[in-house]
């Protein structure tokens, strides 16, 4: 689950709003009263906006997700020069809580495992770890440590030229943890490890093998790096027994150099996805595109066509969200309606599965029924 910051201001706002107003000794009460009376000079539309806005009870209850107000949002959605866009209401998420969330987190810590959900600050962590509509909790395990050898400008995972050596027990520990959770669908991903001869492909393969040994029915998705274009490494992972081979192109071809590390590019990523299908024709292939980085509609459509022509089965589209001030700024917040449009385009182009929405990530709700059903159909060669 890739990437990203989220609003955590609700709890703080509630606490702040609940505090009594404390006046400094040197500030007279009449001054404060006059200050509040000056609101009478506000334009009528501003007064109405304040009257109809959320009150203290809304903050206390946490019920601030009224979707009917989305269409009325007046903030800028496209960035002007020197501006930082404010987060629109449809991108604000709940603070992750719940028994299942805590259970997964404690298991990860005890086995020294990492998830991309945490490292990349994914906004869906509460929903995925807590279990969604189908009560399937999904965590995306990040193999090979938490330090990447690349420095993509959209990603908050820490980087280094020479990360720490691999943990040889990680494949076994990963399988053990997943067995404890009782998951029926798991996503394995990793940082880039350009410091290793095979980019970590053997580590991926071992992890899949351990998982299948413990539970032959578990469905395994591997979201891999590009292995510097090493097709032998791609082949090793594709033939490991996985069910879904995923690799993200991240953005349209025109923005690759701006967004990704110079060692990555669209053509190389496309070759990875094609080769996985060539060596395992029955495998489900999947990729993801971030929107809001400055791409045009024509570029998005062209990219989707190229992916479908490469026989990619599943596509996810989600909103890019700036993880820190050091990373690329959001150029545009794409509306939920526009994401729905891209979902229809994906279906019309022939993708077997198109997930498109502001908070959708490459591993978002990976255990959901449709994708599991697609994998099972592939196994019986009905799709």
């Amino acid at each position: 689950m890739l990437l990203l910051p989220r609003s955590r201001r609700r709890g703080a706002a509630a606490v702040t709003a609940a505090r009594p107003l404390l006046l400094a000794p040197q500030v007279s009460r009449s001054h404060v009263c006059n200050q509040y009376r000056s609101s009478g000079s506000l334009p009528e539309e501003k007064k109405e906006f304040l009257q109809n806005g959320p009150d203290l009870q809304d903050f206390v209850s946490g019920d601030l997700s009224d979707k009917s107000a989305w269409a009325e949002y007046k903030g800028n959605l496209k960035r002007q020069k020197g501006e930082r866009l404010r987060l629109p209401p449809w991108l604000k998420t709940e603070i992750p809580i719940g028994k299942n969330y805590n259970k997964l987190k404690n298991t990860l810590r005890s086995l020294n495992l990492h998830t991309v959900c945490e490292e990349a600050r994914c906004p869906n962590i509460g929903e995925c770890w807590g279990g969604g509509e189908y009560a399937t909790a999904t965590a995306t395990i990040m193999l090979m440590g938490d330090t990447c050898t690349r420095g993509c400008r959209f990603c908050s995972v820490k980087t280094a030229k020479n990360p720490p050596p691999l943990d040889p027990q990680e494949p076994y520990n990963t399988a053990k943890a997943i067995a404890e959770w009782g998951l029926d669908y798991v996503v394995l991903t990793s940082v880039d490890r350009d410091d290793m001869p095979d980019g970590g492909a053997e580590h991926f393969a071992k992890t899949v093998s351990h998982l299948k040994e413990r539970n032959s029915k578990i469905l395994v998705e591997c979201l891999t790096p590009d292995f510097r274009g090493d097709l032998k490494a791609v082949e090793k992972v594709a033939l490991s027994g996985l069910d879904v081979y995923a690799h993200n192109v991240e953005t349209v071809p025109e923005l690759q150099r701006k967004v990704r590390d110079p060692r990555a590019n669209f053509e190389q990523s496309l070759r990875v996805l094609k080769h996985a299908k060539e060596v395992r024709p029955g495998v489900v292939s999947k990729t993801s595109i971030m929107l809001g980085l400055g791409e045009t509609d024509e570029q998005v459509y062209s990219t989707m066509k190229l992916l479908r022509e490469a026989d990619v089965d599943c596509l996810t589209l989600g909103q890019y969200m700036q993880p820190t001030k050091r990373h690329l700024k959001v150029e545009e917040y794409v509306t939920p309606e526009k994401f729905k449009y891209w979902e229809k385009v994906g279906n019309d182009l022939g993708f077997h599965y198109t997930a498109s929405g502001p908070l959708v990530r490459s591993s978002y709700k990976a255990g959901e029924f449709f994708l599991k059903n697609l994998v099972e159909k592939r196994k019986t060669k009905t799709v």
Side-chain angles (χ1 to χ4, degrees):
M1 302 189 299
L2 279 177
L3 22 129
L4 311 168
R6 64 214 68 93
S7 174
R8 289 289 179 266
R9 300 188 181 92
R10 291 181 193 175
V15 173
T16 304
R19 288 178 186 147
L21 179 64
L22 299 177
L23 301 180
Q26 67 270 30
V27 180
S28 70
R29 290 182 182 274
S30 61
H31 174 78
V32 173
C33 292
N34 289 335
Q35 194 176 34
Y36 280 97
R37 281 195 206 104
S38 67
S39 64
S41 62
L42 286 173
E44 286 302 318
E45 61 180 55
K46 287 286 186 183
K47 288 183 186 177
E48 186 179 348
F49 180 78
L50 288 171
Q51 288 170 358
N52 296 331
D55 59 18
L56 173 61
Q57 188 54 43
D58 293 319
F59 283 106
V60 172
S61 67
D63 187 18
L64 291 169
S65 57
D66 180 12
K67 295 183 180 180
S68 64
W70 290 3
E72 301 168 12
Y73 178 65
K74 303 298 183 186
N76 288 339
L77 293 178
K78 286 196 174 184
R79 190 175 77 87
Q80 305 299 317
K81 189 174 181 181
E83 180 188 20
R84 188 183 302 277
L85 293 175
R86 295 185 64 182
L87 203 66
W90 55 82
L91 286 170
K92 296 180 181 179
T93 58
E94 300 295 331
I95 296 172
I97 55 173
K99 283 168 58 178
N100 213 46
Y101 171 83
N102 291 326
K103 177 186 173 185
L104 263 64
K105 187 163 187 172
N106 291 337
T107 306
L108 287 163
R109 296 295 82 78
S110 66
L111 293 172
N112 193 31
L113 297 176
H114 304 278
T115 67
V116 75
C117 322
E118 295 174 292
E119 299 297 334
R121 307 180 185 186
C122 183
N124 305 309
I125 189 169
E127 183 178 358
C128 289
W129 285 25
E133 183 181 353
Y134 301 99
T136 300
T138 303
T140 301
I141 299 292
M142 190 161 73
L143 302 174
M144 299 188 270
D146 62 353
T147 306
C148 188
T149 54
R150 297 191 186 177
C152 295
R153 297 185 66 202
F154 65 87
C155 183
S156 66
V157 174
K158 60 186 176 184
T159 65
K161 286 185 178 179
N162 296 296
L166 297 188
D167 176 5
Q169 295 302 310
E170 188 177 49
Y172 173 82
N173 284 340
T174 300
K176 180 184 175 184
I178 290 162
E180 285 183 18
W181 295 335
L183 303 181
D184 53 0
Y185 191 109
V186 64
V187 183
L188 303 174
T189 190
S190 78
V191 292
D192 279 279
R193 291 300 297 256
D194 297 310
D195 58 317
M196 300 178 61
D198 70 347
E202 182 66 30
H203 204 75
F204 262 107
K206 282 182 181 177
T207 308
V208 175
S209 177
H210 279 296
L211 282 168
K212 292 290 186 176
E213 283 174 14
R214 282 179 171 264
N215 181 2
S216 61
K217 293 183 179 179
I218 193 168
L219 299 179
V220 181
E221 173 182 330
C222 287
L223 174 58
T224 76
D226 60 18
F227 300 117
R228 303 185 305 275
D230 180 357
L231 298 184
K232 287 291 183 185
V234 174
E235 196 168 316
K236 190 177 289 185
V237 178
L239 297 175
S240 65
L242 54 72
D243 301 285
V244 178
Y245 193 107
H247 171 67
N248 292 340
V249 297
E250 308 296 5
T251 186
V252 299
E254 292 83 355
L255 295 179
Q256 293 279 318
R257 289 182 65 84
K258 172 186 173 183
V259 172
R260 301 175 77 186
D261 184 277
R263 287 164 283 189
N265 61 74
F266 186 82
E267 292 74 20
Q268 185 165 273
S269 290
L270 208 59
R271 282 197 299 273
V272 168
L273 290 162
K274 282 181 178 178
H275 194 67
K277 291 295 287 281
E278 287 167 3
V279 297
R280 276 281 307 281
V283 78
V284 174
S285 58
K286 182 180 169 188
T287 194
S288 182
I289 302 172
M290 296 177 290
L291 301 183
L293 287 159
E295 67 288 331
T296 66
D297 286 358
E298 292 76 14
Q299 289 168 348
V300 175
Y301 181 75
S302 174
T303 303
M304 291 172 73
K305 277 190 69 178
L306 288 171
L307 292 169
R308 191 65 199 108
E309 287 166 6
D311 202 22
V312 173
D313 297 304
C314 305
L315 174 65
T316 63
L317 300 103
Q319 172 70 53
Y320 166 65
M321 293 165 71
Q322 184 182 13
T324 74
K325 289 182 178 180
R326 294 182 294 104
H327 292 83
L328 285 173
K329 289 180 181 176
V330 176
E331 294 296 330
E332 178 183 5
Y333 282 124
V334 180
T335 64
E337 292 75 23
K338 192 57 175 285
F339 275 108
K340 277 290 178 190
Y341 166 78
W342 289 123
E343 183 177 340
K344 182 181 183 304
V345 170
N347 293 334
D348 291 345
L349 285 172
F351 288 101
H352 294 294
Y353 172 72
T354 307
S356 180
L359 290 173
V360 167
R361 296 293 174 261
S362 56
S363 306
Y364 178 54
K365 295 173 75 174
E368 72 175 296
F369 177 78
F370 185 90
L371 196 50
K372 289 194 291 182
N373 199 35
L374 177 59
V375 172
E376 294 297 344
K377 284 182 178 179
R378 278 289 167 87
K379 288 183 176 179
T380 57
K381 298 184 177 178
T382 59
V383 176

